[in-house]
Amino acid sequence: MSSRLLLALPYFTVVVLIVLGLAVMLSKRNVIKILMGVCLMESAVNLFLVATGYRHDAVAPIFTNVPAGPMALPTVQALTLTSIVIGVATSAMMLSFAMVIYRKYGTTDIQKIQKLKG
Amino acid sequence: MRNVLFSAILLLFFGGLTYLAVDLPFGAPRATDMDDYFIRNAQAQTGANNVVTAIVFDFRGFDTLGEATVLFTAVLGVGMMFRKLKEGEEYEND
Amino acid sequence: MKMTKIVRTTADLFFPFCLVFGLYVVVHGHLTPGGGFQGGAVMATGTALLLVARAYDDVTGRIRKGAMKACEATGLMLFLLAGLGGLFHGRAFLGNWLAQAGGLFGNRVELGANAGDLYTGGLIPLLNFGVGIEVLGGLTVILLYMLSGIKEEKK
């Protein structure tokens, strides 16, 4: 079991990151900290996608002066690129929501905001 | 009590995901037909050396158009949130 | 908020190099690692550096919000127009009608490992450039909006 876990170490890192992100998102009450949890899960998904496409002793799929040998899978890398850009867009939106919330309510604690509502 | 329940659920989740992760093959992906096709034909069909760019902008170009639109919309949304306030309009906290 | 003179001078010095390096990554997107999004992000890093080192009002003279918005819209329009061009050449929308055709960016590429020729790739360098401009404009506008929000907070 432990040797197989070591073989799949990147996937194990992904699992740890996803669980940490979920724990942060569910247990913290500060909006900024929840946002950090979301970003952690995003990074975990990116790492998972890149790890899926790795081949042993492979080079990056770029033909400019490439040494001979197998190439890593390019499709997952393209999808990771898409995912990173979407992540930047959503992070910007969430951060500006946090700033507007702070300006309107004077706090970033979600439970206090619920009490102040109305 | 709530904390214990929360931790237990998280541990259960962690165990389940680890069980799934151990079975995944790292370094030797199983289904590679599509990627092999891209690596073999990207240069001939698009003329670009960088296969990742060839996929992003040519084979999956429509996807990238949507991605650029998402970025554009996000900028519009941020601009909407930080708009100049009208005369007499104020945030409650100010 | 203003940093010390050392930080400000270093930021001023690094700003043009950031832009040039980002442009390099964008233009060589079809030959080396990188592309429109990454190069645009590098260019936006230069403006972020300037924004961090200097006060907001100092920077607005050099980086104008209106110009950056125009950059962003121009990038997306370039992307759409380059894609629409395929319809007039008997291809689908975003079909690569410039590749291997001998014209602009239309040189034949050697198959397999080669040294890399800038004038290959057909539509891909154009789309790279459009996306690069769009990302530069978009990220800079987001940064400017957020920092202008902070400035109102201090008042």
Side-chain angles (χ1 to χ4, degrees), chain B residues 40-61:
Chain B
R40 257 184 283 118
N41 296 317
Q43 265 189 319
Q45 287 182 9
T46 68
N49 271 346
N50 188 340
V51 182
V52 179
T53 313
I55 290 174
V56 168
F57 287 104
D58 199 308
F59 293 110
R60 298 179 65 93

Side-chain angles (χ1 to χ4, degrees), chain A residues 4-5 10-11 15 19 23 26 54-56 61-64 73-75 77-78 82 85 89 93 96 103-104 106, chain B residues 6 10 14 17 22-23 25-27 29 35-36 38-39 43 49-52 55-56 67 74 78 82 91-93:
Chain A
R4 284 170 74 195
L5 201 63
Y11 295 123
V15 171
V19 171
L26 293 180
Y54 181 70
R55 269 197 269 224
H56 284 306
I62 295 165
F63 280 103
T64 311
L73 307 192
T75 317
Q77 298 192 15
T82 312
V85 176
M93 282 299 280
S96 18
R103 260 204 257 170
K104 186 159 171 65
Chain B
F6 179 65
L10 268 187
F14 180 73
L17 280 183
V22 172
D23 269 353
F26 178 68
D35 302 87
D36 288 337
F38 282 147
I39 289 173
Q43 265 189 319
N49 271 346
N50 188 340
V51 182
V52 179
I55 290 174
V56 168
E67 194 183 337
V78 172
F82 289 109
Y91 287 110
E92 274 173 32
N93 187 46

Side-chain angles (χ1 to χ4, degrees), chain C residues 9-122:
Chain C
T9 315
T10 316
D12 280 356
L13 210 66
F14 269 112
F15 176 60
F17 288 108
C18 273
L19 289 189
V20 169
F21 181 64
L23 202 64
Y24 162 78
V25 172
V26 168
V27 169
H28 288 76
H30 56 298
L31 297 178
T32 53
F37 290 106
Q38 295 92 320
V42 170
M43 286 196 273
T45 310
T47 60
L49 187 67
L50 215 59
L51 275 166
V52 168
R54 288 176 165 274
Y56 177 78
D57 293 326
D58 262 9
V59 177
T60 42
R62 210 177 319 178
I63 305 163
R64 289 197 188 79
K65 210 185 268 174
M68 285 300 149
K69 278 179 186 166
C71 255
E72 197 199 355
T74 313
L76 200 55
M77 275 318 274
L78 188 63
F79 195 104
L80 279 174
L81 289 180
L84 280 176
L87 294 180
F88 299 105
H89 291 78
R91 299 286 194 92
F93 177 66
L94 281 171
N96 203 335
W97 48 283
L98 283 170
Q100 327 262 21
L104 181 69
F105 294 119
N107 285 2
R108 293 228 158 257
V109 64
E110 299 174 47
L111 296 187
N114 57 9
D117 180 1
L118 191 58
Y119 299 105
T120 56

Side-chain angles (χ1 to χ4, degrees), chain A residues 13-25 40-41 44, chain B residues 10-11 13-15 17-18:
Chain A
T13 318
V14 168
V15 171
V16 170
L17 281 178
I18 283 186
V19 171
L20 273 180
L22 199 69
V24 168
M25 271 163 72
L40 209 58
M41 280 184 94
Chain B
L10 268 187
L11 270 180
F13 189 61
F14 180 73
L17 280 183
T18 313

